[in-house]
Structures are given as C-alpha cells and as structure tokens.
Amino acid sequence: MASQDRAFIRQLLGEGAASLSPADLAWMSEEAERIQARSRALAEAAKTDLDFAAMVGPATAEPLGESWG
Amino acid sequence: MTPAALSIVEASNAMQRGQLSAVELAESVLEQIDKLNPTVNAYITVRHSDDVLGEARQADQQRREGQAAPLTGIPIALKDNFATAGTRTTAGSKILAEWIPDRDATVVGKLKQAGAIIAGKLNMHEFANGTTNDNPHFGKTRNPWDPDRTPAGSSGGSGAALAAAMCLGATGSDTGGSIREPAAFCGVVGLKPTYGLVGRAGVVPFSWSLDHAGPMARTVADTALLLQVMAGYDPGDPGSVPSAAVDYLRDLGRGVDGIVVGIERHYFTKVMDPGVRRGFETTVEHLQALGARIQEIHLPAAELSLAAELAILFPEAASLHRSWLDERPQDYGEDVRRSLLSGRLYRAVDYVEAQRVRALLRKQLAEAFQTVQVLLTPTMIIEPVSWGCERFVIDGAERDPLEAFIRCLVAFNLTGNPALAVPCGYGDGGLPVGVQLVGPPFSEATLFRVGRAIETRFEPNRRTPPLLEASTY
C-alpha cells in the first residue's frame, strides 16, 4: 500500500487510528478496497434504476416504522 | 426427560394440571446450567439460585390463587444487550462489563409482567457485531450439537442455551441475521419481527435503522407465545409502531392448504451446501403435500442486499461507538474494533446509495407479496462450521465468510419485513439446518402458521443434541 494511501486511511479513521497495529492497518486497507468495490455495485444500481419510487426513497436513517402507514 | 427440556406450552400445561411446580422447573433449569454451562458457556451471568427459586415459589402461589399469567413460572434468559435493573448488562463487551442499569428494557418489563422468571444473561458476540460468538472477554459460546463448532451469532448464547435446555425461552437481537443464524445452527426457532413491532428501548443498539429485538424458543408455538408478550408500542423506541393487538397463536393449527409460497431461485436459493439444499427442497415438497402452492418470484435487488447492509450498518455503528473508538479502542476485541472503525471508510454517498437500493428492495418485495403470501428461503446457506473456519467453498466456488453466514438474512433487516427461522432437518454431518419464512409487514401470524406446518412434518425426525442427551436422559 502506498504511504499516501496509508496516511489517507489514518486520516479517515481519526483518533482511533493511533491504536492500530500494522496488521490492523493492512486489514483496513483491504477493507477499503472491498468497500469501494461494493460501493461501485450500489452506485451502478442507483444509476441505472430510473424508477421514480426508488429515486425518492429514504436517504436517511429514519426509522422504517414511520413509513409503514 | 428433564422438565427443563419441555417446551413453554408443555411446561405451562403441566403446571396448570398440577403435574409440575414452578420450583421444580426452575431447579431443573438451574441444574442444566450447572451441568452444561461450563462446556457451552451460554450464560455470562446466572442469577442467584435463591432469587430464581424465590420467584418460582411466588409463581406457584400465584397459580394456586388462580392468578397465572401467560408465562408464570417459565424460566427465560436474556441476551446480554437487554438492560436489566440491578443485574449487569455487558453487551458482551469489556466496555460495559460493569454496567448495572437502573431500569429494565421495555421487553424485559413485559416478560416479567407476564410472569417469566429471568434465569440470567446470555453470551453474545461483542456488541452484537459478529457472527460466531467467539467473545474475547467472556469466552466462546459453543454449539451444543458439537462444541467444536460455533453456534453462530450474535445471539449465540440464546440459541445454545435453548438447544441445551438451559432455559425455555430467550430474547435475541437481529441487525443482520443475529437471531436467525443461531436459530439455524442450534436447531431452534427464532423470529426477527416486523421493524417497529417489538420495542427496543433498553436494548444496546448496534445500527439504529437495522436493529430488531425478537423471541427465540424451541418450538414455533413457544415463539408465538413469547411474541404475544413482547410485541406492542414502546414510547421509548422512536422506531416503534402502534399496531392492533393480534392473537399470534390463533392460526397455528390451520395448516397451509391454499397458501401461496414464493421461492426466489436467482439469489436466495442459488448457493447452498448440499445438506441445506436437501432440507430446503424437502420442505418445499412437504408444503406442497400439505396443499400449499409454490410460485417462483424474482427480486433483482437482493443481489445487492449485502453491499447495502454493510454500507448502512457500519457507518451507523461507527457513529454510535465514536467516543469509545477514539478514547478506548484497545478495549474492543480485534475483529469488532476493526469492523467498527471500518465504518469511517464509507463515504456519505455510499450510505445514501445504499439507502436507495434499500428502497428499491422494499418496493420489489412489496410487489412480490402481491402474488405470494410468504417467501421461503434457506436460513443459513451453510451447515454449522468449526471454529476458525475461514474458507467457504459452496457449490464449488469459494465465498466470502460473511456472505456464507448472512447471504439470505440481511435483505429483511433492510426492508423491515418479519422473518421466521425454523428447523427443517439435518445436514450431512447430522447437524441442524433450517429454512426462513418471510412475509409482508405484520404478517407474523401467517409465518407462525406456515412455520408450524413445517415443524409438524419435521417433528417425527427431531433429534436431541448429543450433549443434552448425555446430561438428561
């Protein structure tokens, strides 16, 4: 992993990064790649889905229960 | 057979007929805990026997006076993320190891009000964040079917305690399958109710928009009885929904003649261990033989359910744990610290897009329920695995370990639909496998009805965990 990538991951992790071992950091780097791969799949679904109901779906963590009606 | 191995319904009936006292039942459960907890490690805290037996004597008195409530004298155990006034509530963590709440969780209050005797607090994956119940602070919970295997998690103590007859009913919480996984691996029943049906006030959260609290038991009828007590509006839970009272036991014996059961073969039944597939297909045949009609459906967004779940769960959990992660990160187990910190690696746009996929999945599922009454899937796609198993080859292809555990489960945390895990057979190694029934919001009564039909066909072949057999028979 490039040193600038490690620095960026440390920055994202904030204060908690200070406690990370090299093994933790290596795992974080791999996880960041997995997150990016999954996010690309989500973005692709969001991009190609033109269904209006999905486009105005909940974009917050508001409790589902409020929408049961 | 020891009284501790009775179902709740059987024990209640025996007490009502005067064939069993609450004291005898409590003594039997405490004896099972003494015998098996050193091996299974299902309990973090066992209540003092004087307190348990004192409440059992009161229960017997109430029954003599005709004051019996639905769970009078029934020993119930609580996952240790349910707050209990005066009894420590650890959430399986070092961080909360000494926390003694001053109030009961809403659900705990309801169980006590219904006459339940709380036997103790159950082991779990730390902060409900994990699938194995390998807890670095309180030790592994072991599967009573084979102590060399995980009971799954995070409600692994609940599943294991039920399978080992160390309680008659239990609570669990489910953010990504944590009730249904141990139900499947331990051969018991578990319900993730409709989001909002069971109050979560006093249940240590993991991810607010995905967390559910629910019942676990050895039979479908017991699970329905526990839900009857646990359900209802909870003003302390912003996700709680006022809903009409339902008799969850009413339709249990109605059978499945005419019920339309949906099967989704593009995602949910595509990948399975052979023993799980055998159990699943046998269940389909049984339901057809009992008069159910099978109809295939397609939920394209299900393919993205795992990605959406993780992109919502970990940012929410990282927010919840923000202070502790910064101030005392070394007090978490390694796996939990890593995954919680990983919540900081998601971008805001990832979270929003996951919520959009979640909405799409809800819409597709709602459309499916226009044509079918329940959806049938496997619960776990794998049979119970040994400790340390990290490589999962299923149907000839290697799978991510997390996917192996929660592939069929997280979609319904995202949508909030109720999902019932029911045992349906045994895999190649003689270990339990199960199926999952999913329905429209608030259709728990229908899930219990279909679940009971599956259980009826399975019952003649039901086996006992070897550990339990050695201790009680």
Side-chain angles (χ1 to χ4, degrees):
Chain A
M1 180 173 49
S3 60
Q4 66 267 32
D5 291 341
R6 272 200 301 272
F8 183 58
I9 285 175
R10 282 181 179 279
Q11 191 182 352
L12 284 174
L13 296 176
E15 291 175 46
S19 65
L20 294 181
S21 66
D24 284 334
L25 204 56
W27 184 90
M28 284 295 167
S29 172
E30 290 170 12
E31 184 63 11
E33 288 177 16
R34 288 191 287 267
I35 288 170
Q36 284 174 24
R38 291 195 298 263
S39 295
R40 277 195 295 274
L42 290 172
E44 188 63 26
K47 184 179 72 180
T48 55
D49 177 69
L50 297 176
D51 181 271
F52 186 76
M55 293 174 75
V56 297
T60 70
E62 86 183 44
L64 280 171
E66 293 179 6
S67 60
W68 288 135
Chain B
M1 184 167 66
T2 175
L6 294 171
S7 71
I8 295 174
V9 171
E10 288 170 336
S12 291
N13 289 342
M15 286 191 283
Q16 195 59 35
R17 289 193 297 262
Q19 296 165 330
L20 176 71
S21 72
V23 169
E24 289 167 334
L25 182 59
E27 284 173 340
S28 172
V29 167
L30 291 170
E31 189 181 336
Q32 279 301 108
I33 295 171
D34 276 349
K35 275 195 246 177
L36 294 183
N37 203 49
T39 303
V40 177
N41 196 29
Y43 279 82
I44 289 176
T45 303
V46 181
R47 286 185 67 220
H48 198 284
S49 58
D50 289 350
D51 296 333
V52 172
L53 293 174
E55 289 175 20
R57 279 190 287 274
Q58 287 175 16
D60 283 331
Q61 182 65 28
Q62 285 166 354
R63 199 172 286 279
R64 277 194 295 272
E65 293 169 357
Q67 304 288 319
L71 296 175
T72 291
I74 300 295
I76 301 289
L78 307 169
K79 186 177 181 178
D80 207 15
N81 57 352
F82 285 70
T84 40
T87 301
R88 71 172 177 162
T89 299
T90 69
S93 71
K94 181 178 177 183
I95 288 172
L96 295 179
E98 305 303 327
W99 181 42
I100 299 179
D102 58 8
R103 285 174 288 174
D104 283 331
T106 298
V107 161
V108 177
K110 283 173 175 276
L111 289 166
K112 285 182 177 177
Q113 190 68 32
I117 297 173
I118 306 302
K121 307 298 292 291
L122 296 165
N123 206 347
M124 54 184 285
H125 209 108
E126 182 180 5
F127 283 119
N129 180 6
T131 58
T132 63
N133 249 69
D134 185 354
N135 187 307
H137 314 295
F138 298 99
K140 290 173 177 165
T141 301
R142 296 179 180 276
N143 193 323
W145 289 87
D146 178 353
D148 290 332
R149 294 173 194 266
T150 168
S154 64
S155 311
S158 309
L162 286 163
M166 293 196 280
C167 62
L168 276 76
T171 63
S173 64
D174 190 319
T175 305
S178 283
I179 285 175
R180 292 161 285 161
E181 288 171 58
F185 268 23
C186 296
V188 300
V189 180
L191 174 75
K192 183 201 78 64
T194 304
Y195 188 94
L197 180 63
V198 172
R200 302 169 303 173
V203 181
V204 177
F206 179 19
S207 167
W208 297 285
S209 77
L210 298 165
D211 288 341
H212 299 66
M216 298 173 70
R218 284 192 284 270
T219 69
V220 172
D222 286 0
T223 309
L225 181 57
L226 289 175
L227 182 67
Q228 197 72 52
V229 171
M230 293 167 70
Y233 180 65
D234 178 0
D237 175 0
S240 185
V241 179
S243 52
V246 173
D247 182 351
Y248 295 109
L249 295 153
R250 188 192 59 205
D251 293 338
L252 275 180
R254 279 185 63 195
V256 292
D257 192 19
I259 291 267
V260 184
V261 177
I263 294 179
E264 210 276 4
R265 295 203 181 271
H266 299 269
Y267 176 78
F268 288 107
T269 63
K270 192 173 175 185
V271 183
M272 280 182 259
D273 273 346
V276 179
R277 188 173 296 283
R278 199 169 55 245
F280 179 81
E281 298 299 348
T282 302
T283 302
V284 172
E285 289 167 16
H286 283 167
L287 289 172
Q288 283 181 303
L290 292 169
R293 187 159 64 81
I294 304 298
Q295 182 170 325
E296 296 213 6
I297 62 165
H298 190 195
L299 295 170
E303 291 275 357
L304 291 161
S305 58
L306 189 57
E309 164 87 7
L310 299 180
I312 294 169
L313 189 162
F314 285 117
E316 290 188 12
S319 168
L320 179 74
H321 283 266
R322 184 168 192 142
S323 302
W324 290 332
L325 280 171
D326 285 342
E327 292 162 10
R328 45 193 304 189
Q330 297 302 349
D331 287 342
Y332 292 93
E334 182 186 74
D335 63 327
V336 171
R337 183 178 68 249
R338 283 178 175 179
S339 61
L340 289 175
L341 274 171
S342 79
R344 297 181 180 181
L345 301 178
Y346 291 85
R347 301 167 300 175
V349 68
D350 299 333
Y351 182 84
V352 172
E353 282 168 353
Q355 293 286 7
R356 291 178 63 196
V357 168
R358 179 185 205 171
L360 182 61
L361 182 60
R362 289 186 77 195
K363 177 172 175 286
Q364 290 176 358
L365 193 58
E367 285 170 357
F369 284 128
Q370 298 295 312
T371 56
V372 303
Q373 285 159 283
V374 297
L375 169 65
L376 180 73
T377 79
T379 308
M380 304 287 276
I381 62 170
I382 52 175
E383 297 176 32
V385 292
S386 300
W387 294 106
C389 179
E390 291 178 348
R391 193 163 174 269
F392 294 87
V393 178
I394 308 166
D395 284 344
E398 184 155 357
R399 295 280 167 180
D400 177 82
L402 195 56
E403 183 195 352
F405 274 81
I406 61 178
R407 179 183 171 95
C408 294
L409 307 176
V410 297
F412 312 110
N413 293 89
L414 289 165
T415 65
N417 291 68
L420 179 71
V422 188
C424 70
Y426 302 93
D428 293 342
L431 300 166
V433 298
V435 291
Q436 173 178 241
L437 291 160
V438 183
F442 306 106
S443 66
E444 280 82 356
T446 304
L447 300 188
F448 290 135
R449 175 181 170 188
V450 180
R452 176 65 190 138
I454 293 169
E455 188 178 55
T456 304
R457 296 299 293 244
F458 165 67
E459 252 165 8
N461 303 314
R462 191 187 285 273
R463 302 173 193 166
T464 304
L467 203 63
L468 178 62
E469 199 157 348
S471 75
T472 59
Y473 290 82

